[in-house]
Amino acid sequence: MDLFKVYKLWDIEPVKGLDTTLWDKDGVRYTDLYGGHAVISVGHCHPHYVNMITEQAGKLGFYSNAVQNSLQNELASKLGRTSGYDEYSLFLCNSGAEANENAIKLASFHTGKDKILAFGKAFHGRTSGAVAVTDNPRLRSPFNSTDNVKSVGLNDIEAVEKELAKGIYAGVIIEGIQGVAGIFEPTDDFMQNLRKLCDRYGTVLILDEIQSGYGRTGRFFAHQYSGIKADIITTAKGMANGFPIGGVLISPAIKPEFGMLGTTFGGNHLACAAAIAVLDIIENEHLVENAERIGKYFYDAFHPEGELDPSLKEYRGKGLMIGLEIKEEFKGLRDRLLFEEHFFTGAAGADVIRLLPSLTISMETASEFVSGWKKLTR
């Protein structure tokens, strides 16, 4: 049997990691500024993380959600306190797409309505409901296509009100910062008005913080810059540093009923141990503050003397969720950064390089990347 080839692969196989460093099977050293799609939030192989998983694996790896699991309660308590959503409830699942599926389902249960408002260029996952609210027709099979989803332009509050005034929408789903699209932000004013419109028209506001959450932007969730609260928040990527997990934070206004949601593997003992370790590290090492600090360094470094770096069309993002839109003459720069300077970065299309490093990144590592960038673009 061969693999079902749906990924375009580089001919590099990482076999070892430590913090922001990777080594491949040939012993070549790389600096990881992408974290496997923003997943590695507290660095590769952090000792506390490794110890927590190892100790839990030696006790109990899994049992079903039909019995008590105090690790779930500990995780919910820590997450509520750290995120500022202490009064909310937590439903645990296995991935970001699954978290969004459950968020959409909850909005529909709560309102009795069947339509969702989404935004242009959005990405919410590849399962049936999540891909339906993703603005990329190439990812949707005929089965996933539905008339229950409408998309409008990001930051177009008039278009949002026109739709919500129809009274047909169960929920609005929006990313804290659009990641896959190329790092596009909703403005604070837009978010504040979106919150008001959802209240006015009885629509559930779902914040997809799967990529933009867990401290990445210099706040625990990106939407907290605007001062609003969402009704439902979804999270996953940075939540357990690579161990599969997803979470749905749910307003107390939305009431649970037995059987309305469910999962076999969600909230298992190993996943909870990994996620608790991540919150411990984020809190003890002040990683949200570090994301803000290193993010400011990157912003300043790519705006020398207040002017945008000459290699760039635009610098976008907050904290350690950064989109660098390069000029046409620097096409292929991402590959050069990888193969010549040994920096892993991400991409959004051919002209946007994404930086999504571990929140543990040091000023020294950030400076080395800036030096490598300038070496290739000057």
Side-chain angles (χ1 to χ4, degrees), residues 34 72 82 93 106 117 125 130 137 139 156 163 174 207 231 243 254 276 300 309 328 346:
Y34 193 52
Q72 294 182 353
T82 307
C93 51
L106 279 174
L117 188 66
L139 302 183
D156 187 345
E163 290 300 321
I174 184 170
L207 252 298
D231 299 309
F243 202 102
I254 300 173
I276 290 166
D300 291 343
D309 189 275
E328 178 65 28

Side-chain angles (χ1 to χ4, degrees), residues 42-164:
V42 297
H44 296 282
C45 298
H46 190 290
H48 179 61
Y49 177 81
V50 172
N51 288 340
M52 286 278 287
I53 295 175
T54 302
E55 289 178 10
Q56 185 58 46
K59 297 175 183 176
L60 181 67
F62 173 83
Y63 206 74
S64 83
N65 284 309
V67 297
Q68 297 289 329
N69 180 351
S70 61
L71 291 171
Q72 294 182 353
N73 297 319
E74 182 180 353
L75 173 55
S77 178
K78 283 180 179 288
L79 178 53
R81 184 183 70 247
T82 307
S83 68
Y85 276 97
D86 220 354
E87 74 277 25
Y88 280 43
S89 299
L90 178 65
F91 177 76
L92 291 166
C93 51
N94 306 285
S95 70
E98 189 179 337
N100 282 336
E101 293 279 347
N102 283 295
I104 292 166
K105 187 187 293 185
L106 279 174
S108 185
F109 272 134
H110 181 65
T111 63
K113 300 172 184 177
D114 60 3
K115 299 197 184 312
I116 298 292
L117 188 66
F119 292 91
K121 299 183 179 179
F123 182 89
H124 296 290
R126 292 175 180 267
T127 53
S128 191
V131 81
V133 293
T134 291
D135 187 30
N136 187 339
R138 294 187 300 109
L139 302 183
R140 289 195 296 271
S141 73
F143 175 78
N144 304 132
S145 300
T146 175
D147 293 331
N148 285 337
V149 176
K150 171 81 173 180
S151 291
V152 296
L154 186 67
N155 293 319
D156 187 345
I157 199 65
E158 290 80 11
V160 171
E161 181 159 23
K162 181 180 177 181
E163 290 300 321
L164 294 191

Side-chain angles (χ1 to χ4, degrees), residues 165-228:
K166 297 175 182 177
I168 60 176
Y169 288 95
V172 176
I173 187 166
I174 184 170
E175 292 161 272
I177 295 177
Q178 289 187 336
V180 173
I183 316 297
F184 292 101
E185 297 181 59
T187 66
D188 289 348
D189 183 65
F190 176 78
M191 294 293 275
Q192 291 158 10
N193 283 308
L194 177 62
R195 174 69 275 177
K196 292 174 184 176
L197 289 176
C198 286
D199 289 339
R200 183 182 305 166
Y201 295 110
T203 309
V204 174
L205 178 56
I206 303 168
L207 252 298
D208 177 343
E209 293 278 7
I210 288 160
Q211 188 171 126
S212 55
Y214 258 75
R216 177 153 299 283
T217 64
R219 300 290 185 274
F220 196 85
F221 293 126
H223 71 268
Q224 291 172 321
Y225 276 99
S226 67
I228 69 162

Side-chain angles (χ1 to χ4, degrees), residues 10 20 22 31-40 44 179-180 211 216 237 320 322 334 343-348 353-358:
W10 279 312
T20 55
L22 291 169
T31 301
D32 183 11
L33 298 185
Y34 193 52
H37 310 302
V39 166
I40 302 301
H44 296 282
V180 173
Q211 188 171 126
R216 177 153 299 283
K237 287 190 184 295
L320 297 177
I322 299 167
R334 185 189 180 207
F343 288 105
F344 272 102
T345 62
I353 292 175
R354 288 195 287 161
L355 303 183
L356 298 161
S358 164

Side-chain angles (χ1 to χ4, degrees), residues 219-291:
R219 300 290 185 274
F220 196 85
F221 293 126
H223 71 268
Q224 291 172 321
Y225 276 99
S226 67
I228 69 162
K229 278 205 164 187
D231 299 309
I232 299 175
I233 306 99
T234 57
T235 184
K237 287 190 184 295
M239 193 173 179
N241 209 50
F243 202 102
I245 194 171
V248 188
L249 284 68
I250 305 159
S251 164
I254 300 173
K255 303 302 181 184
E257 296 179 13
F258 290 140
M260 71 190 308
L261 303 178
T263 170
T264 296
F265 297 105
N268 68 74
H269 296 72
L270 282 176
C272 285
I276 290 166
V278 165
L279 288 173
D280 288 344
I281 297 162
I282 286 175
E283 185 174 11
N284 294 339
E285 299 186 10
H286 308 287
L287 295 188
V288 180
E289 296 85 349
N290 190 59

